[in-house]
Amino acid sequence: MRPFRIDIPQAELDDLHRRLATARWPDGSLGAGWERGTPLEYAKELAEYWRSGFDWRAAERRLNAFPQFTTEIDGENVHLLHVRSPEPDAMPVILTHGWPGSVAEFLSVIGPLVDPRAHGGDPADAFHVVVPAIPGYGFSGPTVQAGWDVRRVARAWAALMSRLGYERYVAQGGDWGSVISLELGLADPEHVAGVHVNMLAAFPPDDSAALAGLSGADQERLGFTARFVQDGMGWQKIQSTRPQTLAYGLTDSPIGQLAWIVEKFWEWTDSAKSPEDAVDRDHLLTNVAIYWFTKTAGPSAQLYYESARGDAAFARTWGGPWPLAMPVGVASYPFDAVRPVRRFAEQILPSLTRWTEFDRGGHFAAMERPESLVDDLRAFTRSLRG
């Protein structure tokens, strides 16, 4: 374990500001809404704020307020935040982000998880928190080897938790972090006490009889997910088939990187006019800037290529089943990319013990609704302690 601090050279900040100031903009005359992608006027406004209003050094200070490390696992560099609780009986938890997220997703939940006493909570709910960046993402990037799919990441996380000295721990995540956490339960069942996820893709069986008796709310959930599969998976098709081609544009253009990520923060969050309805602007740009400064648009997309070859493989990657020996909890947020139906979730998660449906929030729960995510993780873990 090597101590690490984020310190982007000023020359790279100056280069970013120059590129933002001299951007070559596309035409946006066919509509101001989001149905064709990130709207031109919103992109211009946000890019100008990124250039002249956003304080990266403040974002650095916020990230560097937490102890950070790098370590080599299976030939790759892994960056992580590791924050130990002052409570001696704290439960270790490993939090895993997804795409287009980063370790910055969890900045608002680390404090309450680590020190509930200082945040009006019960000290018996304390956690030691580990937040690694997936190989290829952020300061864990770029990867230098092929073959880093979700199962290999899960095995790396098992090695990481062992290296940190944690004999029994909980895994939590959303997006790719959900799949990685479930795979971690399969990879390290002797040490994973429970798995908690805030995204689950639970597809119905091909048999139409499986749909009989579904409530109106469950039918609406299936319809929402079907619309996402039909209209909202363009990014997945590209990243799982041609990640290197995509990387050229996103690595060379901060506007391209910004628009590519921001669209998902609008589409997958509890937002109306812009993603800032759900996520603080500076927090959003911190996440985007991590991709930009680390040049990991392409390396992060490689996880799709490695884990999802074609529609059938992609469905298997996300759809399980996961015959886990330990309890699983699901926190379902209504504006996530997909909306699971509990009946089908139970078929792929036979050890499902906690199911919570919220009335607000979306895909980036730790950024949008940190209090509810913290409360649900605490409640899920109470029976696992001791």
Side-chain angles (χ1 to χ4, degrees), residues 261-281:
I261 290 177
V262 163
E263 178 198 296
K264 299 311 172 192
F265 270 83
W266 173 78
E267 189 173 9
W268 300 344
T269 59
D270 186 357
S271 55
K273 294 182 179 180
S274 82
E276 295 162 56
D277 295 337
V279 177
D280 173 78
R281 175 179 279 198

Side-chain angles (χ1 to χ4, degrees), residues 5-9 13 54-65 68 139 286 293:
R5 285 181 63 82
I6 301 169
D7 185 14
I8 299 300
L13 279 168
F54 175 66
D55 185 349
W56 168 254
R57 296 303 183 197
E60 270 187 346
R61 289 191 295 272
R62 189 180 182 196
L63 286 158
N64 287 332
Q68 297 174 70
F139 297 97
T286 298
F293 288 129

Side-chain angles (χ1 to χ4, degrees), residues 224-271:
F224 181 91
T225 300
R227 290 190 294 274
F228 166 74
V229 172
Q230 177 67 30
D231 185 61
M233 296 185 68
W235 102 96
Q236 181 268 325
K237 290 288 189 181
I238 296 172
Q239 296 195 165
S240 64
T241 58
R242 300 296 185 271
Q244 185 62 35
T245 303
L246 176 68
Y248 297 112
L250 301 190
T251 305
D252 186 61
S253 168
I255 302 298
Q257 181 68 93
L258 178 69
W260 190 249
I261 290 177
V262 163
E263 178 198 296
K264 299 311 172 192
F265 270 83
W266 173 78
E267 189 173 9
W268 300 344
T269 59
D270 186 357
S271 55

